[in-house]
Amino acid sequence: MESVQNQALRLVTSSGCFLPRCCAGTKGTGAGSSGQVRRMGSVSEELTLVPLHQRPELLEACAKLLGEEWGKSRASRLHTLQRSSDAFPTCLLLLRSRGPAEAPTAQEGPCQLVGHVRLSRVASRPHDLFVESVVVARALRGQGYGRRLMEATEQWARARGFGCLHLTTHDKQHFYAHLGFVLGEPVQSVAFLSPAIPAKVLRLFSTPPGAATAVTTRPRVASTPPPHLPPPAIPPPPPLPTVVWARGVLAESSGQKLLETPHRDAKGLPIFWMKKDI
């Protein structure tokens, strides 16, 4: 059976991509790396996706990137990032280097950190991964790097035999829908929750407010039979759903689905659970 390393290298070669020289070597090559060349006008740049634990010298830069987006202490970020490994959770970094026509600045160094994504296993789903902490450097947003980061992450996961990605978002559901993600149900990330917690308990964190009370409250039994009432009128059929297509892929089946969600996070805020078969 062909090794994962050979599969990854063949996947890169078949798309006409190669690893940038600045990221080559024992730390940046091998099964954990994949690369692609992107042209911006007359300037070409090389993009590479590498696991953070293969590039420990980027630990501080990655902690700063995450801290600028979500806060938390530097020590807390470093502790989380240092857990990255091939056995999951895995932190993946998107790096870029300019072509010969444009030399990198001293601040950027030979490779510039473009974005970060973290992958964890999903309980009871051996072929699924949970995606979180997706972020692109603020100075590089609006240039298509978010899509590049997600596409490279899919390629990385698919080369290792995984077939489905899950994620949550509070306000980026339209972005992920254009990448082929659809609304899904809550799953259990092994990195944060114990596999011993049953799915029934997990669903309590994703129940609309008041729903749990309505299920657990027992109705009182009337002492006398209720009066006879006429049958209720049949309600009119619901309106036909609005179909939205994104680059030839069905993005949603109802115009309201990406605007409303029954799920809530631990703080009670609306949250969208999404998934994509890769």
Side-chain angles (χ1 to χ4, degrees), residues 145-165:
Y145 288 112
R147 173 182 290 273
R148 296 280 179 161
L149 174 60
M150 291 302 298
E151 290 175 346
T153 300
E154 291 180 21
Q155 183 187 49
W156 188 94
R158 191 165 50 243
R160 284 152 185 79
F162 294 97
C164 185
L165 299 180

Side-chain angles (χ1 to χ4, degrees), residues 84 95 107 126-127 175 200 232 239-240 249 251 278:
S84 176
L95 307 177
Q107 183 178 0
H127 300 292
F175 166 75
K200 181 179 179 181
L240 295 176
V249 179
I278 59 174

